[in-house]
Amino acid sequence: MEKATSNRQIPIISWFIHVLFPQMSGSAVTAGDSKVRRTRSLFSNLLFTFMELGAATLVSWLFFKCGFTETNIITVYILGVLVTATVTTSRICSMVCSISSVLIFNFIFTAPRFTFAAYGQGYPVTFLIMLISSFIASSLMVQSNQYARQSAQAAYRTKILLDMNQLLQVSHRRPDIAAVTSGQLIKLLKRDIVFYLVENETLSDPEIFFLDQAQSEAGCCYKSKGERTAAAWVYENNQSAGATTNVFPLCQCMYLAISHKNTIHGVIGIPLQPAPLDSFEYNIILSILGECALAMENELAMRKKAESDMIAENEKLRADLLRGISHDLRTPLTSISGNAGILLSSGSTISPDKKQQLYQDILDDSLWLIQLVENLLAVTRISNGSMSLNLSSELIDEVISEALRHFNRRHIRHNIQVIQEEDFIMAKMDVRLVIQVIINLVDNAIKYTPENSDITITAARKGRQVIVTVSDNGSGIPDQDKQRIFDMFYTASTNIIDSRRSLGLGLALCKSIVEAHGGTITVSDNQTKGSSFCFTLLAQEVTLHEQTACTGS
Ligand code: ADP
């Protein structure tokens, strides 16, 4: 690929190489077949041929003066024919060189000299053999040159496709694939590239990839109405159009569809000024577009798979939720309606203690239902990706007190204690969601430990983090369950005090909320007995003003 750029590196030297040895300068690989170029190439080849004939004649003249035989002189001319056939790209030059060599040899070196006559009887045969051997040598050389050029082209084409393949492997988005494809085409063709992507089954606005960013204002002509119409036609008909075709031939660009099995992923526009494409370029463009279409097809398939995976996941979540909820809602609702029924029908006959118990049960069940619904709503918001945090700086002791207020109305026979290592610990949080986390952790501690167990809530500040820990002295969580209890719908083998109330939602929700705050939540064994849940939040500095306000309140 570097070959094609070499023309501009050292102007005079590269011009010389370009004119005399076009196949060496790389232009033979990428140049168009325009008439101008061909004429220039023929001119430079003829120039080289005449220079070579001059050099061969000079050397032969020296040989002649030194008394060398005619055989040596003939060898010099055949060598000259070989050099011409090697360096030049045109067969005409080899033929001109072969015929001229015989004529010059006859004219200068055979008696009578400086005429085209020859006295020796064997000369016609010498001339004929010289001519035939020159022809054979030159055509062999031209042929081997052609093979070399073809294999150089094939290697160049393979390299471009290989590079493209490697780049496409790390491009997973459509715009990236378009950029890689256009980049390779620009390297190959040394032209701007116009790329129309197909998005949602319509042709999007064109993106123009410029060969030379400095000339980017030229891009507006690629966006003209005529050009867009041609591109749209290509998209609708899956055929080429534009310059050099019969459809919209006046366009600046030739438009080709990027398609795979009748699915069109885009349309590419290639400006055909100043020169049209040659067959080598055209073939490699088709290969590149094939690769591009394949990459887009894969991207589309992956996107569809991700979408269907997400739909399946949502379906599964919905089904699991529905199954879990319908089972878990029925029990407390039956209990509430049963207890309310008893109170209504025989309220006057049952003892005040029994009545109190029934009221308490109704309250417990309805609070549990409220808690469940809160969790469900939060889960739905998170799984929709619609959870946006309403962040504010809050004093952690106030948040803990607010969460514990939730348990005040419940009939709880556990010893809940709050320990705060500093007076004012402030953290950045969505207060409603963090209250929900603390409620879930304390609720679990109550649920999974026997009555009169100790539950300790500790808040401490460590560097830029606030660490909140909820510990209990229950039976703890087995090690094999610790990894999974934060998964949705996972319920561990812990003995539950109230077996009907285990849904496996609470900790999964805590994890989502804490992670949305940029924190972490972990579980470990409590120092003495039971388990200890610990989550972190981002600490906030308490300003003097806030401290005074808090102390005042
Ligand atoms: P749920 O409580 O509805 O089952 P969670 O996600 O809150 O759902 O808890 C998941 C599991 O973790 C529970 O089933 C329980 O086995 C275990 N677990 C949670 N907290 C505790 C705790 N404090 N002590 C013992 N086991 C617990």
Side-chain angles (χ1 to χ4, degrees):
M1 271 178 289
E2 284 76 30
K3 263 178 143 187
T5 59
S6 63
N7 298 9
R8 289 195 217 144
Q9 287 162 359
I10 312 168
I12 297 172
I13 298 172
S14 59
W15 178 85
F16 190 73
I17 293 170
H18 179 70
V19 168
L20 291 183
F21 315 108
Q23 70 272 48
M24 287 182 192
S25 68
S27 56
V29 176
T30 58
D33 277 343
S34 71
K35 262 188 180 171
V36 181
R37 283 186 186 203
R38 267 185 297 180
T39 316
R40 224 174 71 184
S41 167
L42 184 65
F43 170 75
S44 59
N45 283 336
L46 282 174
L47 185 69
F48 181 85
T49 309
F50 292 128
M51 279 167 64
E52 186 283 321
L53 279 170
T57 307
L58 198 70
V59 174
S60 301
W61 180 260
L62 288 175
F63 281 13
F64 183 71
K65 284 290 169 199
C66 295
F68 286 16
T69 60
E70 286 174 351
T71 322
N72 294 100
I73 295 171
I74 291 171
T75 317
V76 170
Y77 277 107
I78 290 184
L79 182 69
V81 170
L82 278 176
V83 172
T84 308
T86 313
V87 174
T88 61
T89 49
S90 159
R91 269 175 192 273
I92 298 173
C93 294
S94 306
M95 281 167 65
V96 166
C97 189
S98 304
I99 296 167
S100 307
S101 296
V102 175
L103 290 176
I104 295 171
F105 174 68
N106 177 14
F107 190 73
I108 300 179
F109 300 107
T110 61
R113 295 182 59 213
F114 304 112
T115 67
F116 287 109
Y119 290 153
Q121 273 185 351
Y123 274 131
V125 178
T126 312
F127 296 153
L128 191 68
I129 291 174
M130 188 179 167
L131 192 67
I132 292 172
S133 41
S134 305
F135 274 155
I136 292 174
S138 70
S139 56
L140 281 177
M141 221 55 219
V142 168
Q143 230 173 42
S144 84
N145 267 353
Q146 263 174 4
Y147 287 142
R149 240 190 326 272
Q150 276 166 7
S151 59
Q153 283 186 343
Y156 184 60
R157 176 193 164 118
T158 314
K159 177 157 172 36
I160 285 204
L161 290 177
L162 205 74
D163 283 353
M164 165 115 179
N165 205 284
Q166 281 172 351
L167 289 169
L168 284 180
Q169 273 176 15
V170 289
S171 315
H172 303 299
R173 291 169 51 249
R174 297 197 137 218
D176 296 343
I177 297 172
V180 164
T181 309
S182 306
Q184 290 304 95
L185 286 174
I186 289 173
K187 274 186 197 168
L188 174 76
L189 306 172
K190 302 271 167 268
R191 301 161 197 254
D192 301 335
I193 296 293
V194 186
F195 209 112
Y196 290 81
L197 264 177
V198 174
E199 299 282 5
N200 302 325
E201 302 190 0
T202 46
L203 211 58
S204 61
D205 282 342
E207 185 168 1
I208 300 166
F209 297 88
F210 292 101
L211 167 67
D212 182 1
Q213 281 299 335
Q215 289 179 354
S216 53
E217 74 275 4
C220 50
C221 59
Y222 301 138
K223 292 184 178 175
S224 70
K225 202 169 167 225
E227 300 287 325
R228 279 165 176 260
T229 316
W233 188 90
V234 171
Y235 173 55
E236 273 151 30
N237 297 281
N238 196 6
Q239 284 174 28
S240 346
T244 71
T245 70
N246 295 330
V247 191
F248 304 107
L250 296 180
C251 284
Q252 285 234 340
C253 301
M254 179 170 76
Y255 291 94
L256 300 165
I258 301 168
S259 62
H260 181 81
K261 291 185 188 159
N262 290 335
T263 310
I264 303 182
H265 298 283
V267 172
I268 204 147
I270 303 166
L272 294 192
Q273 293 299 333
L277 302 169
D278 64 24
S279 58
F280 168 74
E281 287 172 328
Y282 189 71
N283 283 337
I284 199 165
I285 288 169
L286 292 186
S287 308
I288 287 178
L289 295 191
E291 289 271 334
C292 171
L294 207 65
M296 291 208 170
E297 189 75 20
N298 288 342
E299 186 271 347
L300 191 70
M302 271 162 62
R303 201 149 28 103
K304 279 187 181 160
K305 188 176 174 304
E307 274 167 20
S308 63
D309 282 356
M310 208 173 82
I311 291 170
E313 182 128 327
N314 281 347
E315 269 314 309
K316 188 174 172 297
L317 185 74
R318 217 168 290 152
D320 286 349
L321 269 180
L322 217 66
R323 206 174 323 114
I325 294 161
S326 44
H327 173 261
D328 281 78
L329 285 186
R330 201 182 314 126
T331 324
L333 282 175
T334 316
S335 156
I336 290 171
S337 60
N339 288 342
I342 295 171
L343 284 168
L344 264 179
S345 58
S346 39
S348 51
T349 56
I350 45 181
S351 67
D353 279 358
K354 178 77 181 154
K355 234 185 216 173
Q356 185 62 28
Q357 180 61 47
L358 290 175
Y359 284 133
Q360 188 62 53
D361 286 351
I362 292 175
L363 181 68
D364 280 354
D365 281 329
S366 48
L367 285 176
W368 184 81
L369 280 175
I370 291 170
Q371 176 64 14
L372 176 73
V373 171
E374 283 292 330
N375 275 352
L376 284 174
L377 282 177
V379 165
T380 329
R381 271 166 71 199
I382 290 169
S383 61
N384 278 349
S386 62
M387 184 167 81
S388 53
L389 298 182
N390 195 1
L391 291 175
S392 57
S393 297
E394 301 289 338
L395 282 169
I396 202 75
D397 63 333
E398 288 185 359
V399 178
I400 295 172
S401 306
E402 182 61 38
L404 291 183
R405 220 164 282 150
H406 172 89
F407 297 96
N408 287 350
R409 285 181 293 159
R410 280 173 56 178
H411 190 60
I412 291 164
R413 293 198 188 88
H414 286 72
N415 310 317
I416 301 178
Q417 191 193 4
V418 180
I419 301 173
Q420 190 164 316
E421 291 183 358
E422 287 172 44
D423 265 351
F424 298 104
I425 302 177
M426 216 170 205
K428 199 164 192 177
M429 67 181 89
D430 183 318
V431 68
R432 246 188 71 206
L433 293 174
V434 173
I435 287 177
Q436 187 78 23
V437 172
I438 299 171
I439 290 176
N440 281 347
L441 294 179
V442 176
D443 195 43
N444 277 350
I446 294 169
K447 258 196 311 189
Y448 298 107
T449 58
E451 283 183 1
N452 295 321
S453 298
D454 296 328
I455 298 169
T456 313
I457 306 169
T458 321
R461 189 187 158 130
K462 199 172 177 191
R464 300 198 60 225
Q465 284 187 330
V466 171
I467 303 171
V468 181
T469 313
V470 179
S471 321
D472 62 62
N473 59 352
S475 55
I477 300 171
D479 281 348
Q480 72 268 20
D481 289 331
K482 283 198 184 92
Q483 303 286 330
R484 301 199 51 203
I485 52 170
F486 293 102
D487 293 349
M488 206 172 273
F489 302 117
Y490 184 80
T491 48
S493 46
T494 331
N495 278 341
I496 187 166
I497 305 305
D498 181 354
S499 64
R500 72 188 185 207
R501 288 171 185 181
S502 182
L503 200 54
L505 265 181
L507 289 180
L509 181 70
C510 292
K511 187 170 182 237
S512 307
I513 292 174
V514 171
E515 285 180 353
H517 280 78
T520 52
I521 183 164
T522 50
V523 61
S524 56
D525 291 332
N526 196 7
Q527 270 174 356
T528 47
K529 186 173 172 265
S531 50
S532 182
F533 286 87
C534 171
F535 69 91
T536 62
L537 293 169
L538 200 64
Q540 288 288 291
E541 288 307 323
V542 183
T543 60
L544 202 60
H545 168 72
E546 277 162 342
Q547 276 196 31
T548 325
C550 292
T551 324
S553 67

